[in-house]
């Protein structure tokens, strides 16, 4: 159904006056496709199509729908300022807050709801809300808090494991979304979770700004370093606080009002009543946030926990204190065993855990955790600035069993061999790899695991065109005893690169692209815009087979109005039927100074 002439023209003018941010948000929420949109007139037409209007109506709650219906009936004071702003942002009204107008296609779509099986305006007003949700009993609260604390601790620990694994090797994001399967499997093993849980935990970490996409790969951000040494309560607070901050206002209001009652099916029933046309869109939005609420211990079995209720009512700091009380106490000492494993009898204090993971690989992570020391893990520690002496001192300070002899031997051997392979930057920007161990250097030259570095023999070393830092970390991950050298020949500590930007998809969004297209297609010349405006009104009248009052300037400077039914525009001339004279007229577009509706 074509949009009405006046509605499309009025909306086009309003759209052109929006800021780029407002325009982009509107295009995104109304899911406008770029194809076929050349200017603001096309955009107005697209927004006034029935399917697009119905999508926008699905974003409105019951009260806003009633207000819109009343505005369509002429009650200009029917909506609150907040409702008027919401309607304007969705392009469901034109005009300002003092004289809002509902475009006729919008009013028509809302009036047709009973034919679509949706409530009429009368039903929207009269139908009562579902029964209040049942409150949570004290016994249920205790059970809920226990389960919620387990979920929160497990998720917080899994995110820490995710950061550690991404620090060692980033993960590729597919163009269609989601982590590449080989990387997802690797991350699942590192976190000790099912494969399908990887995407959900990645989303939680990204929302908190701990990881980000950089050139299509997930990497830790600078924020992650500080987060890893914070208390478990503070770790959880960042994750839960990010969940709260990203809650859309409508969902936040719904969940906040039910912080002390069960959610589940009763919540779904209430949302279906509150958003009559929300359908799958609203259900999916709520599902994602309630799913993450379960993972974060904000709820357990759809019942808000004490920290969860505090989060919704008072924010993350208050909630963190409540959750910290439910978490198990941390330990600061571990058992070093002869098989080179390290057993923590409880959650190891984060500052100790973060340092221990530099020199030992995590094997299991739960309330009691297990780590394993290896030659490769000790090389990793030394690559990050540790020395044999500092590793021994740290392990001795946290050990309940001293340092077993096998570990002493391993540490002595790793200290002696570390730096046997040296990586340095040459004057011409290439990278040179050297070693006093000729056999080790020959092994490097034929190692297929590092073949992408294209190491070639040159003099006493191997040379690569790949940057020094990349060569260093590649050899380190391949478990070689490698050290980086500065220009002065001294060993330097290299820091792994963090993600350079925080965000989701790389590149401009389709909404941003369309905004740019609309701005580029709009002239800054007022006269040119006026001419385009007049031409568009005539085009719309031709398509709608409607009539217009056309004002024409005569050669003597005077003007005359004609009531015309436009038929076509060609070669700069309008051909139309004159209603009053009952003749056909052909007028030059350059002589037309104004067009408007038929009056009288």
């Amino acid at each position: 159904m074509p949009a009405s002439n006046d509605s499309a023209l009025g909306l086009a003018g309003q759209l052109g006056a929006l800021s780029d941010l407002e325009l982009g948000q509107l295009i995104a929420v109304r899911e406008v496709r770029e194809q076929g949109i050349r200017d603001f007139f096309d955009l107005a037409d697209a927004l006034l199509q029935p399917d697009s209007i119905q999508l926008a109506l699905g974003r409105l709650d019951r009260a806003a729908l009633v207000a819109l219906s009343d505005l369509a009936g002429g009650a200009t004071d029917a909506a609150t300022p907040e409702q008027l702003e919401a309607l304007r942002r969705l392009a469901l009204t034109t005009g300002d807050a003092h004289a809002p107008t509902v475009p006729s296609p919008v009013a028509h779509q809302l009036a047709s709801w009973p034919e679509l099986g949706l409530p009429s305006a009368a039903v929207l007003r009269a139908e009562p809300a579902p029964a209040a949700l049942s409150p949570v009993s004290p016994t249920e609260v205790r059970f809920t808090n226990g389960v919620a604390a387990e979920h929160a601790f497990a998720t917080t620990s899994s995110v820490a494991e995710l950061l550690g694994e991404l620090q060692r090797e980033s993960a590729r994001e597919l163009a269609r979304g989601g982590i590449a399967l080989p990387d997802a499997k690797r991350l699942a093993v590192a976190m000790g979770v099912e494969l399908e849980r990887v995407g959900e935990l990645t989303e939680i970490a990204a929302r908190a700004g701990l990881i980000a996409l950089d050139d299509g790969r997930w990497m830790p951000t600078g924020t992650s370093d500080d987060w890893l040494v914070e208390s478990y309560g503070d770790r959880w607070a960042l994750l839960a606080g990010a969940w709260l901050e990203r809650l859309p206002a409508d969902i936040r209001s719904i969940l906040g009002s039910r912080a002390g009652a069960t959610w589940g099916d009763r919540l779904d029933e209430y949302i279906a009543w509150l958003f009559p046309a929300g359908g799958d869109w609203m259900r999916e939005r709520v599902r994602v946030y309630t799913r993450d609420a379960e993972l974060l211990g904000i709820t357990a079995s759809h019942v808000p926990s004490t920290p969860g209720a505090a989060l919704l009512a008072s924010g993350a700091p208050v909630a963190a204190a409540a959750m910290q009380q439910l978490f198990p106490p941390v330990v600061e000492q571990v058992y070093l065993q002869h098989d080179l494993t390290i057993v923590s009898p409880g959650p190891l204090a984060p500052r100790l855990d973060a340092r221990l993971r530099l020199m030992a690989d995590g094997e299991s992570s739960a309330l009691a955790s297990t780590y394993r020391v290896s030659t490769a893990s000790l090389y990793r520690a030394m690559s990050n600035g540790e020395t044999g002496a500092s590793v021994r001192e740290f392990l001795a300070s946290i050990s309940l069993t001293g340092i077993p002899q096998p570990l002493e031997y391993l540490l002595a051997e790793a200290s002696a061999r570390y730096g046997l392979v040296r990586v340095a930057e040459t004057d011409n920007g290439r990278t040179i790899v050297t070693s006093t161990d000729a056999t080790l250097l020959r092994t490097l030259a034929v190692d297929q695991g590092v073949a992408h570095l294209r190491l070639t023999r040159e003099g006493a070393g191997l040379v690569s065109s790949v940057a020094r830092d990349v060569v260093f970390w590649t050899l380190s991950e391949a478990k070689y005893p490698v050290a980086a050298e500065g220009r002065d020949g001294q060993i330097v500590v290299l820091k792994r690169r963090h993600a350079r930007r925080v965000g989701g998809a790389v590149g401009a969004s389709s909404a941003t692209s369309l905004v740019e297209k609309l701005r580029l297609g709009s002239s800054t010349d007022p006269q040119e815009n006026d001419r385009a405006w007049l031409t568009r009104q005539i085009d719309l009248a031709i398509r709608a087979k409607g009539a217009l009052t056309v004002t024409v300037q005569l050669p003597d400077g005077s003007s005359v109005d004609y009531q015309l039914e436009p038929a076509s525009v060609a070669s700069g001339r309008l051909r139309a039927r004159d209603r009053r004279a009952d003749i056909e007229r052909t007028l030059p577009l350059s002589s037309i100074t104004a067009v408007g509706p038929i009056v009288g």
Side-chain angles (χ1 to χ4, degrees):
M1 182 185 85
S4 73
N5 189 0
D6 294 342
S7 296
L9 292 170
L11 182 57
Q14 181 167 297
L15 295 172
L18 295 177
S19 68
D20 285 358
L21 177 61
E22 291 174 318
L23 191 57
Q25 290 172 339
L26 172 63
I27 289 168
V29 76
R30 293 288 295 267
E31 300 179 12
V32 178
R33 296 182 179 179
E34 186 173 352
Q35 185 177 4
I37 307 294
R38 299 161 299 173
D39 52 33
F40 287 108
F41 303 110
D42 289 332
L43 179 58
D45 274 345
L47 293 174
L48 290 175
Q49 295 306 306
D51 287 347
S52 182
I53 294 171
Q54 185 62 31
L55 181 147
L57 295 176
R59 282 21 177 192
L60 297 179
D61 64 21
R62 210 172 187 90
L65 288 166
V66 169
L68 180 63
S69 177
D70 290 344
L71 286 172
T76 55
D77 59 349
T80 66
E82 293 76 18
Q83 289 170 339
L84 285 174
E85 178 60 20
L87 296 173
R88 185 193 68 82
R89 285 199 305 268
L90 286 168
L92 292 172
T93 60
T94 56
D96 57 27
H98 302 292
T101 300
V102 179
S104 55
V106 175
H108 181 272
Q109 184 65 26
L110 189 55
S112 69
W113 267 25
E115 302 169 17
L116 304 175
L118 294 168
S120 65
V123 173
L124 285 172
R125 291 185 183 87
E127 186 179 18
L133 302 183
S134 57
V136 181
S137 68
T139 301
E140 194 174 8
V141 167
R142 288 192 294 272
F143 173 78
T144 296
N145 284 347
V147 175
E150 290 179 15
H151 291 175
F153 190 85
T155 294
T156 304
S157 299
S158 294
V159 170
E161 298 288 354
L162 172 66
L163 295 176
E165 186 60 26
L166 290 178
Q167 186 70 64
R168 283 185 280 275
E169 183 181 352
S170 60
R172 182 169 66 92
E173 176 82 354
L174 299 173
R176 64 178 181 274
I179 296 174
L181 185 57
D183 287 330
K185 289 180 176 178
R186 172 174 60 88
L187 294 176
V189 171
M191 290 188 284
V193 300
E194 297 296 324
L195 184 62
E196 59 267 20
R197 194 68 82 194
V198 171
E200 297 168 1
L201 293 168
T202 299
E203 188 175 336
I204 288 173
R207 186 187 297 141
L210 297 174
I211 63 174
L213 277 176
D214 192 323
D215 292 331
R217 301 193 69 87
W218 286 106
M219 299 174 62
T221 65
T223 303
S224 65
D225 292 340
D226 292 334
W227 185 83
L228 284 170
V229 298
E230 291 178 346
S231 70
Y232 284 103
D234 287 338
R235 284 181 176 183
W236 178 83
L238 182 66
L239 301 180
W243 175 89
L244 182 66
E245 289 171 8
R246 291 287 293 275
L247 270 181
D250 51 357
I251 298 178
R252 186 169 184 169
S253 175
I254 294 168
L255 299 184
S257 65
R258 281 151 178 76
T262 56
W263 293 3
D265 292 340
R266 301 292 293 277
L267 178 62
D268 293 341
E269 182 183 350
Y270 175 75
I271 289 171
W273 173 86
L274 188 61
F275 289 84
D280 292 340
W281 172 78
M282 192 66 190
R283 282 190 291 272
E284 179 61 18
R285 291 173 76 223
V286 174
R287 185 196 68 80
V288 169
Y289 285 103
T290 54
R291 176 203 71 193
D292 290 353
E294 288 281 314
L295 289 174
L296 291 166
I298 296 166
T299 59
S301 300
H302 304 295
V303 177
S305 64
T306 298
L311 177 71
L312 288 164
S314 306
V318 174
M323 184 60 82
Q324 184 68 62
Q325 293 179 4
L326 301 177
F327 279 163
V330 300
V331 300
E332 297 198 352
Q333 290 192 292
V334 298
Y335 297 98
L336 271 60
Q337 305 192 125
H338 284 74
D339 64 354
L340 301 179
T341 60
I342 300 174
V343 177
S344 174
L348 191 59
R351 59 185 174 79
L352 301 178
D353 175 77
R355 189 174 179 190
L356 180 58
R357 286 175 182 276
L358 287 176
M359 55 194 72
D361 296 312
E363 287 197 333
S364 66
S365 178
L367 295 183
S369 301
T370 304
Y371 311 79
R372 181 174 294 277
V373 182
S374 65
T375 301
S377 69
L378 292 175
Y379 288 160
R380 182 177 68 237
M382 293 171 189
S383 294
N384 281 275
E386 297 281 1
T387 64
S390 69
V391 169
R392 184 179 290 104
E393 180 183 358
F394 173 70
L395 293 177
S397 71
I398 63 172
S399 176
L400 290 165
T401 52
I403 298 182
Q405 194 171 53
L407 181 55
E408 285 279 16
Y409 288 154
L410 187 69
L411 185 54
E413 180 185 6
S415 298
R417 286 182 59 80
Y418 175 69
L420 199 56
V421 176
R422 299 294 184 99
V423 176
E425 188 176 24
T426 65
D427 291 336
N428 60 6
R430 296 191 298 168
T431 299
I432 185 167
V433 180
T434 59
S435 177
T436 56
D437 187 329
T439 301
L440 187 56
L441 208 58
R442 285 195 295 271
T443 301
L444 259 175
V446 297
D447 187 345
Q448 291 302 304
V450 298
H452 61 283
L453 296 178
R454 300 185 299 279
L455 295 167
T456 57
R457 174 71 69 171
E458 187 172 299
L462 301 173
V463 175
S464 171
S465 59
V466 179
R468 180 198 65 176
D469 289 19
V470 175
V471 173
F472 170 80
W473 288 115
T474 301
L475 298 183
S476 177
E477 289 164 4
K479 301 180 173 53
Y480 285 99
V482 61
E485 285 185 359
R487 293 283 183 174
D488 58 0
Q490 298 298 309
I491 291 179
V492 295
V493 176
L494 301 181
K495 294 295 183 182
R496 286 203 185 256
R497 185 170 67 83
H498 290 123
R500 291 172 296 184
R501 55 181 174 274
V502 175
V506 179
S509 68
S510 58
T512 302
S513 174
L514 182 50
V515 170
E516 292 176 353
K517 180 178 178 180
L518 289 167
R519 295 303 187 202
L520 289 172
S522 299
S523 173
T524 57
D525 183 348
Q527 290 186 340
E528 188 174 332
N529 280 332
D530 289 344
R531 179 58 51 195
W533 185 264
L534 292 174
T535 303
R536 185 59 177 215
Q537 292 180 82
I538 293 170
D539 287 342
L540 288 172
I542 293 171
R543 288 165 53 190
K545 297 182 179 180
L548 291 172
T549 297
V550 178
T551 302
V552 178
Q553 188 175 42
L554 301 177
D556 62 2
S558 63
S559 296
V560 62
D561 291 339
Y562 295 112
Q563 291 188 1
L564 303 178
E565 295 176 0
S568 65
V569 173
S571 303
R573 303 181 75 81
L574 167 65
R575 185 172 61 82
R577 184 76 182 175
D578 188 322
R579 278 188 165 187
R580 288 177 176 171
D582 194 24
I583 60 172
E584 185 176 280
R585 293 187 185 275
T586 301
L587 304 170
L589 291 177
S590 58
S591 298
I592 298 174
T593 58
V595 296
I598 298 291
V599 179

